[in-house]
Amino acid sequence: MLEEVLERCESTSATILSGLCLITSFFWSEQLPIDPAWLSVAISGAPIIYWGVHQLFFGEGISRITSSLLITTAMIAAIAIGDLFAAGEVAFIMALGEKLEHLTVDRAKRGLENLIGLSPTTGRLITSNGDEIIPIDRIKIGDVLRVLPGETIPIDGVIIDGRTSIDQSIMTGESLPIDKTVGDEVFGGTINRFGSIDIRAEKVGEDSSLQKLIRLVQAAENKKAPLQRIADVWASRLVPIAMLIAIATYFLTGDVVRAVTVLVVFCPCALVLATPTAVMAAIGQATKHGVIIKSGEALETMSKVDVIAFDKTGTLTHGTLKVSDVIPFGSMSTEEILLKAAALESKSEHPLGRAIVKAVEKKLPSTTDFEMSAGRGIAATVDGRKYFVGSEKFLFENGIDVGENEKLSELRGQGKALVLLGDEKKLLGAIGLSDVIRAESPEIISELRTLGTRAVMLTGDNRRTADHFARSVGIDDVHSELLPEEKMSSIEKIRAEGSVVCMIGDGVNDAPALKTADVGIAPGAMGSDIAVDAADIALMTDDLSRLPYLKRLANATRKTIFFSISLSMAINFVAIILSVEGMLTPTTGALVHNLGSCFVVMIAAMLYDRDFDRKAATIDHKPLTATNA
């Protein structure tokens, strides 16, 4: 019953009513039989009094003393000497601050539900009577399951028959599907992109990789404790000081009004307003620039970030394959090699094949005698001549010895996928495919460095690919071939070294790392729903140039908050002196000290229209050098 009443008193409509009563009291209290300020005290003051007293009796250590306790003392003192307006005003300002603060910390919690939604619910069990679709909870270790093209693999297992390509980006974030054959391991939740395969169940139920991923997100979410409110931190120091000064004032002057006035002007109204108003203005500013900040805590923490960990695929790169190189090894031109390879790949559903076909703008010649080896290559006849396109192993099996080739080794060293073209006699050419680096990525890394932030790459890609892309964008610290839990461990290790870490990733596999980092950022336009929901901040577009902007905004917001707090404390200090001298009453004291609240709101509002896009913005941190990087 009590909790329901307090909840209603803290509602928006109740706060508005409290403010209207306060205005009525200021202008017409003498004309009314009952001062409306009583209603303001009852509505806005009840929750403050309850939490102040509750924490005093049930809190631990210094946490017993809160801003609510100081305000409760001032309200009771003001009522005791008959100044209802001062009591109602202090209660209303604090209630308004609480309301503004609550508006900034409403965070989305849907990510875990979406992740659980990826879990397959059925599997295709092979029995003596054929295939049978059964619930996933009936699958046992050792069962043999068939997975058709396009289906999600239900459990962790080993391929015992067939070849295919598996999209396992959910687990590793790799942009390229991985070719799999007999004896290779597959993970539950990944997608079979090509051929039909039979797998033997190795891990089922809670032991599967996807379920472990879900538990990682849950555990990481539970580790994130909210920051202690700055008003309560200060209150633990202010309350004893306020009490001592008020008592000293009474004994030295014998005037109880002066003592009450000291308590009123000591109330941390501006202190409570400083953080939420600045954060709201910054969040509004960020929204205009395509950045969704889910909480004030995330914005505050972002100002302290000194390490930003990037996933590669879909963040620093576009996450889509494109033909990057066409190398002839004979008389055929690059255009002919691409055309012949595209003709063979035109009937293929393999991602590499689709990328090759997409790169050709001309009409493709027709093929005959089409033969496909799932996950390995294609043989077909074009214009009366038989060609083979696929992996080096596929060409070797068809009598074409690639041998040692410097150009192919160079492409592999750059982390590129290779598709080879040959005829019945020799190797004719090679096509290199690669994810494409975003044009702005190198500049963003450089700009973040000038803001005192070190960049790290955490990726599931192989080492050569990761190293190549890292060098291209200017990142020196690279961690490759990481599974989700290893990304999370890398974040924890960096944090243990004393750094404040921001993680940027767009894949489902990045969700645990996003939750583990001090701040998680996901590109909303291109990122998975789970990554976006797991993150503290989401980018509405794939424009990573928002990152330096966000860092500047966070730095400026933190400086604004501390400036506002300093200003409000200075005003309160002057008001205390005037109160001791008897130049202020509780009512005028409340008005004077609440000038600080007005200044705080105006200063915070200036954040909304400031330009944080310019690269010449003021920097709070020294640039990293070779010695301190």
Side-chain angles (χ1 to χ4, degrees):
M1 179 65 180
L2 178 59
E3 291 183 359
E4 184 178 346
V5 172
L6 293 175
E7 186 175 341
R8 290 183 178 180
C9 288
E10 292 175 330
S11 67
T12 301
S13 57
T15 303
I16 294 173
L17 177 60
S18 176
L20 292 174
C21 290
L22 203 59
I23 294 172
T24 305
S25 173
F26 184 78
F27 289 104
W28 300 288
S29 61
E30 295 182 358
Q31 286 79 26
L32 296 172
I34 299 177
D35 193 335
W38 275 115
L39 195 55
S40 293
V41 172
I43 294 174
S44 299
I48 296 172
I49 295 171
Y50 173 80
W51 291 115
V53 174
H54 181 276
Q55 195 67 13
L56 179 63
F57 286 100
F58 299 103
E60 295 181 2
I62 197 66
S63 66
R64 292 173 180 265
I65 303 174
T66 65
S67 58
S68 296
L69 181 61
L70 177 55
I71 297 158
T72 298
T73 305
M75 286 170 55
I76 294 173
I79 293 172
I81 64 171
D83 198 332
L84 292 177
F85 181 83
E89 181 189 13
V90 170
F92 171 72
I93 291 294
M94 293 302 297
L96 181 62
E98 290 281 348
K99 184 58 59 181
L100 291 174
E101 189 173 20
H102 288 161
L103 290 174
T104 67
V105 296
D106 184 20
R107 303 184 61 182
K109 298 283 186 180
R110 302 187 306 270
L112 185 60
E113 295 176 5
N114 289 340
L115 184 58
I116 293 172
L118 287 178
S119 302
T121 57
T122 61
R124 190 186 304 274
L125 180 67
I126 299 178
T127 68
S128 57
N129 298 323
D131 298 350
E132 178 186 354
I133 304 296
I134 64 171
I136 195 167
D137 56 9
R138 285 179 51 195
I139 298 174
K140 302 184 295 295
I141 294 176
D143 284 349
V144 176
L145 305 166
R146 179 160 293 158
V147 185
L148 302 181
E151 291 183 343
T152 300
I153 297 174
I155 43 81
D156 291 6
V158 174
I159 298 177
I160 60 173
D161 185 47
R163 296 190 182 99
T164 188
S165 294
I166 303 292
D167 178 357
Q168 53 187 38
S169 58
I170 184 176
M171 297 303 299
T172 66
E174 286 193 273
S175 55
L176 298 175
I178 306 300
D179 292 336
K180 301 277 188 175
T181 187
V182 174
D184 289 336
E185 186 179 15
V186 294
F187 302 107
T190 58
I191 301 172
N192 180 20
R193 289 297 189 192
F194 200 57
S196 175
I197 54 172
D198 294 344
I199 61 175
R200 183 179 63 250
E202 298 285 338
K203 296 178 182 178
V204 300
E206 292 299 314
D207 294 328
S208 70
S209 298
L210 184 58
Q211 291 302 317
K212 288 180 180 178
L213 185 61
I214 291 172
R215 290 199 298 275
L216 286 173
V217 176
Q218 288 174 319
E221 173 67 25
N222 293 334
K223 287 180 183 177
K224 300 197 73 172
L227 297 178
Q228 187 178 9
R229 290 179 52 212
I230 190 169
D232 286 336
V233 174
W234 276 93
S236 64
R237 306 166 188 172
L238 292 179
V239 172
I241 296 173
M243 294 294 186
L244 289 174
I245 294 177
I247 293 171
T249 300
Y250 175 72
F251 279 109
L252 290 174
T253 65
D255 189 347
V256 69
V257 173
R258 295 189 187 189
V260 172
T261 305
V262 168
L263 292 176
V264 170
V265 299
F266 240 119
C267 289
C269 299
L271 191 64
V272 171
L273 286 171
T275 297
T277 51
V279 167
M280 285 188 68
I283 289 176
Q285 150 89 239
T287 302
K288 289 195 304 180
H289 290 77
V291 180
I292 302 300
I293 302 173
K294 297 182 181 180
S295 73
E297 179 189 346
L299 185 65
E300 180 184 355
T301 307
M302 189 66 197
S303 68
K304 305 173 187 176
V305 165
D306 54 6
V307 174
I308 295 185
F310 289 87
D311 176 48
K312 177 187 76 68
T313 306
T315 51
L316 296 171
T317 68
H318 286 281
T320 55
L321 289 172
K322 289 186 178 180
V323 172
S324 58
D325 304 87
V326 181
I327 302 174
F329 293 113
S331 59
M332 292 181 69
S333 65
T334 57
E335 184 178 1
E336 287 179 304
I337 290 171
L338 194 59
L339 190 65
K340 293 294 190 297
L344 269 69
E345 295 282 10
S346 61
K347 297 180 181 179
S348 169
E349 296 182 359
H350 196 286
L352 297 180
R354 291 200 300 269
I356 291 173
V357 173
K358 190 175 181 180
V360 178
E361 298 179 355
K362 291 185 177 181
K363 182 179 179 180
L364 299 177
S366 59
T367 62
T368 58
D369 303 324
F370 182 86
E371 297 178 10
M372 179 174 60
S373 177
R376 305 178 79 174
I378 296 170
T381 300
V382 180
D383 298 329
R385 184 177 177 184
K386 189 168 186 177
Y387 294 94
F388 302 91
V389 64
S391 65
E392 181 178 339
K393 185 176 182 180
F394 177 71
L395 265 66
F396 180 79
E397 290 173 350
N398 286 277
I400 304 170
D401 187 6
V402 175
E404 294 294 329
N405 190 296
E406 185 177 337
K407 290 188 177 294
L408 295 184
S409 298
E410 182 180 344
L411 292 178
R412 292 191 189 98
Q414 295 172 357
K416 296 178 180 179
L418 290 180
V419 175
L420 306 181
L421 175 71
D423 59 12
E424 294 180 291
K425 298 179 180 178
K426 59 182 179 180
L427 175 67
L428 300 174
I431 300 173
L433 299 99
S434 175
D435 199 351
V436 181
I437 295 175
R438 296 181 183 278
E440 67 272 19
S441 292
E443 184 179 357
I444 290 168
I445 299 300
S446 175
E447 198 172 347
L448 288 172
R449 183 177 288 272
T450 67
L451 288 166
T453 307
R454 178 167 61 93
V456 175
M457 181 184 287
L458 305 179
T459 179
D461 279 5
N462 65 71
R463 184 174 183 81
R464 286 190 298 185
T465 300
D467 288 344
H468 169 71
F469 279 99
R471 287 194 303 269
S472 300
V473 299
I475 295 178
D476 300 322
D477 194 352
V478 185
H479 303 260
S480 57
E481 300 179 9
L482 301 179
L483 291 173
E485 59 267 28
E486 293 171 327
K487 285 187 179 182
M488 199 172 84
S489 298
S490 297
I491 294 288
E492 290 175 339
K493 183 178 179 181
I494 296 172
R495 291 183 66 192
E497 294 170 355
S499 294
V500 180
V501 184
C502 170
M503 172 69 191
I504 301 174
D506 73 319
V508 174
N509 64 295
D510 297 318
L514 289 169
K515 284 291 186 184
T516 301
D518 296 286
V519 181
I521 300 179
M526 57 190 172
S528 72
D529 290 340
I530 291 166
V532 172
D533 287 335
D536 303 295
I537 299 172
L539 307 182
M540 295 171 64
T541 69
D542 58 2
D543 183 6
L544 291 184
S545 66
R546 299 295 85 195
L547 295 178
Y549 157 82
L550 177 61
K551 180 62 175 169
R552 294 191 193 98
L553 175 63
N555 291 348
T557 301
R558 190 162 184 258
K559 288 177 65 177
T560 297
I561 290 172
F562 279 98
F563 177 75
S564 296
I565 289 173
S566 301
L567 178 63
S568 66
M569 296 291 286
I571 292 174
N572 279 15
F573 178 74
V574 173
I576 290 167
I577 295 175
L578 296 177
S579 300
V580 173
E581 292 292 330
M583 299 175 66
L584 294 176
T585 65
T587 298
T588 56
L591 291 173
V592 169
H593 107 278
N594 281 329
L595 283 176
S597 302
C598 296
F599 285 135
V600 163
V601 172
M602 288 189 293
I603 293 168
M606 294 171 62
L607 275 173
Y608 188 77
D609 293 316
R610 282 177 61 183
D611 181 13
F612 296 101
D613 255 339
R614 66 186 189 278
K615 295 179 182 178
T618 302
I619 298 172
D620 292 336
H621 303 279
K622 293 181 181 180
L624 289 175
T625 64
T627 57
N628 63 14

